[in-house]
Every structure is written in C-alpha cells, then in structure tokens.
Amino acid sequence: MILTSSQISTSRRLLGLFAVLIALTAAVAVLGVILGMISSFVANGGTSLSWSFLSEFPRNNNTEGGIWPALAGTTFLVLLMTILGVPIGTATAIYLTEFAKQDSWFARSVRFAVNTLAGVPSIVFGLFGVGFFIQFMGGGIDSWLGTSSFGDGSLLWSSATLAVLTLPVVIVSVEEALRAVPRDLREASLALGATRWQTIIKVVIPNAVTGILTGSILAVGRGAGEVAAILFVGVTYSSEVLPSNVTEKFMHLGYHLFVLSTQSPDVDKTLPLQYATTLVLLGLTFLLNLTAILIRSRLRKR
Amino acid sequence: MAKEYPVKIEAHNFNFHYGAKQALFNINLSIPERRVTAFIGPSGCGKSTFLRSMNRMNDLIDGTRVDGHMTIDGVDVYSKDVDVVTLRRRVGMVFQKSIPFPKSIYENITYGLTLNDKVTKTELDHIVESSLRKSALWEEVKDRLHHSAQGLSGGQQQRLCIARAVAINPEILLMDEPCSALDPISTGKVEELITELKDSYTIVLVTHNMQQAGRVSDYTGFFLMGSLIEFDRTRTLFTSPAKKETEDYITGRFG
Ligand SMILES: Nc1ncnc2c1ncn2[C@@H]1O[C@H](COP(=O)(O)OP(=O)(O)O)[C@@H](O)[C@H]1O
Ligand SMILES: [Mg+2]
C-alpha cells in the first residue's frame, strides 16, 4: 500500500500526540504517588510529631516516647562518615583527574573498582565492615593497644563502612566537578610557574568547590538513609544513653523504623510512631537536598 | 638568519609527536633576543605546538614526545636537570583565550609572585602597579584593583593576562594568537603593547593575521604542515620570499 505524504504526516502526528499523552500520564502518576505518600505520612504521623517526640528517649520497649537517640545517632554517624569518606573520595578523584595517565592500568583499575563498588548491594558492605573493620582493623588495634573496645560494632566502624559505601558517589561527583574546571585556567596557572599541586590547591579546587560540596551532600543523603550496611557493624535497637565516644553502639532512624515495624511487641500501637519517624527521615533527606540546591545556586551566582 | 642580534632561543632538528602523530618535522631556527618573532601559517600547521614546546606546556599532554634540541641561552630545555617550574617562570605565556582567574585584578597579578617567595605588601603593590602600567591597563583599573577580574572587557582581560605574565619578570614572552578574540581597538592596544615590551623581553608571537605579523614583528617564520618553510626578517619574508609556498600563502593563494 502506498501512503500519500499527507496520510503519513497525519499518522505521524497522531503517534506524536499519543507519545506525549503517555509521557504526561507517567509524569502525573509519579507526582501523584509521591504526593500520596507524603500526605499519608503527614496524615498518620503528623499528630505524633512534636518537640518531645524529637527530644525524648523511647520508653516501654520502644512503644512510647521519642526518637532522640536515633536522631542523634544518625547525625553522629553521618558526620563521622563524611569526615572519613569525603577527604578520601576527593583525594582519589584528584588523583584520577589530575595525576593519573588516563589509560594507565592503575587508573583503569581504580575506575573499575569505583564502578563496581557503586553496584554492590549494601548488605555486602555490612559484611565487609564486619570482616575488615571490626575483625581485622578493630581486632588488630585491640591486640596492639591491649584494649577491648575496638573489636566490636561501633559508631566508628559503622561510619567507616558507610564511608566506603558512599565513596563512589563522592568520587564520581568530585571528578565531574574537577573536569569541569577549564583547561585554560590550569594552563594559565602552570605557565606562571605554579607546580601541579599549587595549581590544584589554588585554582582547581576553588573552582570545583560547588561540585565537591554537592557530592558530599549527595553522599550524606545516601548514607543517612542506609540501613542494611550498618546492621552488623554497630547499630543497636535501643539505648538508654547517647554514645559517649565513637567506639560505642548507637541508635539510628532507619533501623529504628525497622525495629518499630517488625520487632515491637505491639506493632499496631507503634504505628503512629512509625509514621512520625518516617516523616523525620524524609524531612532530613529533604533538608539535605535543599542545602545542596542552595549551595549550588549560591556558588553559581558568584 | 638573525645574526644581527644575540640568539635567545634555538631549535635544532626539533621534532614533536602527539602519540603516533608527528606534528613538527625537523625544525631549525634561531630566535633573536629582545625582538618580536612571529609565526604564521595555516591553522593546524604546528605553530602552537612549537610555541608550547618552548616552555614545555606540551608536557601536560599524555603521550607526547620530542627529539632534537630546543635551547634557551644555550641550555636544552628538555635536558634532565632543567626544572620545569623555573623554566616557566623565565618563559611567560599569554594564551589565545584570555581567562583571568576568578579572583580580583590584584590577586591575578600577584598570583605568580606569591607562589614561592615571600613578598611584602609594599613590594606587591609596587609590582602590581608597574605591571599594569607596562600593559597599559593601570589608568583603566587603578580604582578597582580589588574587584573581580571577570568584570573587565575582553581586551582588558587580555592585557591583564599580559600584566600577569610580566609580573613575574620573565625573559621571554610567548603569545599564542593573543588578539584573535579581540575587537580592532583592543587589538591595536595589544599590538602597541607588544612593540613597547620588546625592549625588555624576547617576544614570540603566533598569529594567523599576516598584517599583524607585518606590523609588529622583526622576524617571521612561515610554517606549513609541521615544517618551517621559511624564516627571515619580516620585511624580507613579506616582500621577497625565497620559497614558492611562502609567496603563495602571503599573496592569499593559499589557506
Ligand atoms: N593535544 C593534541 N593531541 C593530538 N594532536 C594534536 C594536539 N594538539 C594539536 N594536535 C595536532 O597537531 C597539529 C598542529 O596543531 P597546532 O600546533 O595546534 O597548530 P596551529 O597552532 O598552527 O593551528 C594539528 O594537526 C593538530 O591536530
Ligand atoms: Mg594554534
């Protein structure tokens, strides 16, 4: 059958219209699901959300009271994770973009490792944390110092595990930021007699600071919501006190949610608490993303 | 060639490779001290590569290789004991795209100075002023030294980059098409500047603009496909070229 050109264009136009319609429906559906989720959390958990919920310890086997130790524990965890992970990730990214010969086998292996790391299920990081950090490092430190506090799950080893888990995020986003610094700027610096290091410190990093910060925040966001990776390396389901140093165990919002919804003697009773905890977790994530956006736009303006 | 003046830079059987691709073939020439030497030739003929070989900027590109000699004051810049950083402080460079650092005008000029040496504030102030005067920018920016350099016009930015290079007091200034992004008025200012600076510096200028080479340079080299076809006094090269290729190029029958 031979179609006239006007027939072709009509059927094409119909097809185009159809495609737009599908895309639009999908977009509306996604928006709907998100709004529905949030409104259900707000409706169910909003009433339990209060200052005392945020500032009190849980009571009565986690069926009453607040989430203060979980909130504080998550914050400590994420901070320590950032302190451990971001410098290492940034240093790796600097090595990869500024120093490595791009096709050397070492650079390629590091890149391969980073990409592989990004695809590993988080529970595997938890096992790695047990084997490497707790048993190998912690055990080693204990027998070396004659202590007994390092060879067990703790805030420190959980942070270290999460730092490894978020390393790919940091490395990839910092690398991207470093590559975005114009080549001419580097050359101008080198041509003025700066060494590579001076160029990196004085020109490249200041120009990539947005990307480095954004990468760190994305990593923090990823780390803050992660539960599986810390299951075996130091999180605890209930605690009467906040950890007083990094070798102690800690509570965590995500894990607390898991405990409330599956391990509680009365799951139905804790339902409002679960929703409220979810709201706090969501709020934290939202806050982090907002900060990232604000930093980005602020620095872009400069 | 250039026997009338002391030789500052000399290439001897100089070859350059980007990986498997050879970009310069057996270049031989002597660049006189405190004169302006221009390189002309169609785009892609190796002018920038040759210029960037003088301060070893090409070292930054993976897989590049040189053989033959490139000497400054008789010392091979590619010999083992030459320190690249010191070399680049003696051989300043101004690029085609003038990007000031996203810092203040003042910091742009002091950038090279404060890298290794402790310099007092008074000295810095002094050098900033004299470099800006030398690059004919002082009157235009003296009231906003601490404002961002990115607020300057294109022509001013390029003169700032010249001031930035001059501030570390090099012996040689390499300029790679410094006016190609500038309007005629700014170009005129930069050309005027080049003529003034040649009393103190050996200037090597790459340009795709033959009129510019004619206006500001004392010596001109013509490159074609990685080879130096002809090198002579600018007037001689433009009025009575020895080679057919040169004549074709300058009379516009080529490229
Ligand atoms: N980084 C590079 N890698 C590979 N080849 C290059 C590179 N830079 C330049 N070349 C090649 O070397 C030759 C000379 O280039 P260039 O020196 O930039 O010429 P010009 O400055 O005269 O336009 C060209 O063929 C160009 O494609
Ligand atoms: Mg060029």
Side-chain angles (χ1 to χ4, degrees):
Chain A
M1 190 178 76
I2 297 163
L3 293 170
T4 66
S5 66
S6 78
Q7 276 174 309
I8 292 177
S9 71
T10 311
S11 63
R12 267 203 200 135
R13 212 173 299 138
L14 274 177
L15 207 69
L17 214 65
F18 191 58
V20 170
L21 220 64
I22 290 185
L24 199 67
T25 319
V28 169
V30 168
L31 197 68
V33 168
I34 293 174
L35 285 180
M37 256 170 67
I38 293 180
S39 56
S40 114
F41 290 140
V42 172
N44 291 304
T47 47
S48 315
L49 201 57
S50 64
W51 176 244
S52 61
F53 179 72
L54 295 177
S55 62
E56 282 175 13
F57 277 73
R59 287 187 308 269
N60 207 358
N61 240 335
N62 286 342
T63 55
E64 288 167 30
I67 53 163
W68 169 237
L71 192 57
T74 309
T75 311
F76 292 152
L77 176 76
V78 161
L79 281 179
L80 194 54
M81 170 200 84
T82 312
I83 293 169
L84 294 175
V86 169
I88 295 177
T90 306
T92 311
I94 288 176
Y95 170 77
L96 286 176
T97 45
E98 308 291 324
F99 290 101
K101 282 215 159 57
Q102 291 313 306
D103 50 358
S104 73
W105 75 262
F106 184 67
R108 277 194 308 203
S109 329
V110 174
R111 267 217 183 83
F112 178 74
V114 171
N115 290 335
T116 312
L117 218 55
V120 170
S122 30
I123 191 86
V124 177
F125 283 97
L127 291 174
F128 169 78
V130 173
F132 182 74
F133 289 121
I134 296 183
Q135 294 177 350
F136 179 71
M137 300 254 305
I141 293 173
D142 275 346
S143 62
W144 182 46
L145 293 176
T147 52
S148 61
S149 47
F150 287 96
D152 196 5
S154 66
L155 192 54
L156 176 65
W157 298 138
S158 294
S159 307
T161 306
L162 279 190
V164 176
L165 180 132
T166 52
L167 217 46
V169 184
V170 180
I171 293 175
V172 169
S173 47
V174 175
E175 248 196 293
E176 221 165 78
L178 294 177
R179 280 189 207 290
V181 177
R183 189 195 164 82
D184 312 39
L185 224 47
R186 289 166 217 257
E187 291 200 337
S189 166
L190 293 161
L192 287 168
T195 62
R196 276 185 170 203
W197 265 118
Q198 287 170 328
T199 302
I200 290 169
I201 306 266
K202 297 188 74 159
V203 174
V204 178
I205 292 184
N207 276 283
V209 114
T210 323
I212 296 175
L213 284 180
T214 316
S216 317
I217 293 168
L218 286 177
V220 168
R222 168 94 209 270
E226 185 56 53
V227 181
I230 54 170
L231 275 182
F232 322 124
V233 283
V235 74
T236 180
Y237 69 95
S238 112
S239 167
E240 311 280 88
V241 288
L242 295 184
S244 63
N245 67 59
V246 295
T247 62
E248 286 179 11
K249 294 201 185 323
F250 63 99
M251 285 182 71
H252 180 270
L253 281 175
Y255 185 65
H256 189 60
L257 195 59
F258 168 74
V259 169
L260 287 181
S261 56
T262 60
Q263 315 291 304
S264 170
D266 189 350
V267 173
D268 287 338
K269 197 179 159 199
T270 66
L271 217 51
L273 295 184
Q274 292 174 37
Y275 279 114
T277 310
T278 312
L279 264 184
V280 174
L281 247 179
L282 276 180
L284 267 183
T285 319
F286 178 72
L287 215 67
L288 286 171
N289 282 328
L290 196 70
T291 319
I293 292 168
L294 285 181
I295 289 180
R296 237 191 267 197
S297 68
R298 160 84 45 98
L299 284 167
R300 200 165 282 162
K301 241 183 267 155
R302 272 206 336 214
Chain B
M1 264 189 226
K3 292 186 190 77
E4 302 87 334
Y5 302 98
V7 170
K8 186 70 179 175
I9 310 169
E10 191 162 22
H12 185 67
N13 293 342
F14 190 79
N15 292 278
F16 188 93
H17 306 256
Y18 289 105
K21 180 183 169 21
Q22 184 161 2
L24 292 174
F25 298 84
N26 223 38
I27 310 286
N28 288 286
L29 94 169
S30 309
I31 294 174
E33 188 168 28
R34 290 173 208 259
R35 298 286 110 184
V36 179
T37 300
F39 294 140
I40 58 170
S43 138
C45 66
K47 307 179 296 291
S48 299
T49 304
F50 189 54
L51 198 71
R52 292 162 56 93
S53 300
M54 296 177 184
N55 64 345
R56 291 181 55 176
M57 257 351 236
N58 289 324
D59 287 18
L60 306 168
I61 302 167
D62 283 354
T64 57
R65 191 161 53 78
V66 303
D67 60 61
H69 298 283
M70 175 76 81
T71 61
I72 292 179
D73 291 336
V75 177
D76 194 329
V77 301
Y78 285 92
S79 82
K80 283 268 180 299
D81 38 75
V82 164
D83 173 41
V84 187
V85 167
T86 320
L87 171 72
R88 293 194 187 132
R89 312 194 116 237
R90 291 177 58 201
V91 187
M93 188 163 211
V94 176
F95 300 84
Q96 178 173 4
K97 266 196 280 160
S98 54
I99 307 196
F101 300 122
K103 301 171 188 269
S104 73
I105 295 172
Y106 188 94
E107 287 168 317
N108 262 277
I109 302 218
T110 55
Y111 183 85
L113 289 165
T114 51
L115 286 171
N116 301 310
D117 312 315
K118 269 258 155 280
V119 189
T120 64
K121 175 88 174 66
T122 8
E123 270 178 292
L124 284 181
D125 288 348
H126 178 75
I127 297 174
V128 167
E129 178 170 347
S130 69
S131 320
L132 284 171
R133 280 192 191 283
K134 276 188 211 162
S135 52
L137 199 57
W138 175 252
E139 292 303 327
E140 291 161 59
V141 303
K142 64 180 178 197
D143 298 324
R144 46 170 171 157
L145 290 178
H146 296 283
H147 292 219
S148 167
Q150 285 168 324
L152 298 174
S153 74
Q156 290 174 325
Q157 290 192 359
Q158 190 59 296
R159 279 180 283 148
L160 178 69
C161 290
I162 296 176
R164 182 171 78 178
V166 165
I168 51 175
N169 203 20
E171 299 155 34
I172 298 169
L173 267 183
L174 308 176
M175 301 191 174
D176 194 349
E177 305 196 15
C179 302
S180 65
L182 303 184
D183 60 77
I185 294 177
S186 309
T187 301
K189 285 190 180 160
V190 171
E191 286 181 6
E192 207 174 298
L193 184 56
I194 292 173
T195 343
E196 273 163 35
L197 290 172
K198 78 172 179 188
D199 292 337
S200 336
Y201 307 94
T202 302
I203 296 176
V204 189
L205 169 75
V206 165
T207 174
H208 58 214
N209 179 337
M210 276 181 282
Q211 285 72 33
Q212 180 170 71
R215 280 192 298 267
V216 302
S217 73
D218 303 294
Y219 286 83
T220 299
F222 171 56
F223 280 81
L224 192 61
M225 287 161 62
S227 297
L228 179 67
I229 303 296
E230 190 167 348
F231 183 67
D232 213 326
R233 284 183 157 272
T234 299
R235 185 155 340 121
T236 317
L237 189 124
F238 278 108
T239 52
S240 48
K243 297 274 168 59
K244 172 100 175 39
E245 293 100 316
T246 317
E247 188 175 348
D248 286 349
Y249 184 72
I250 58 180
T251 53
R253 257 172 284 168
F254 189 102

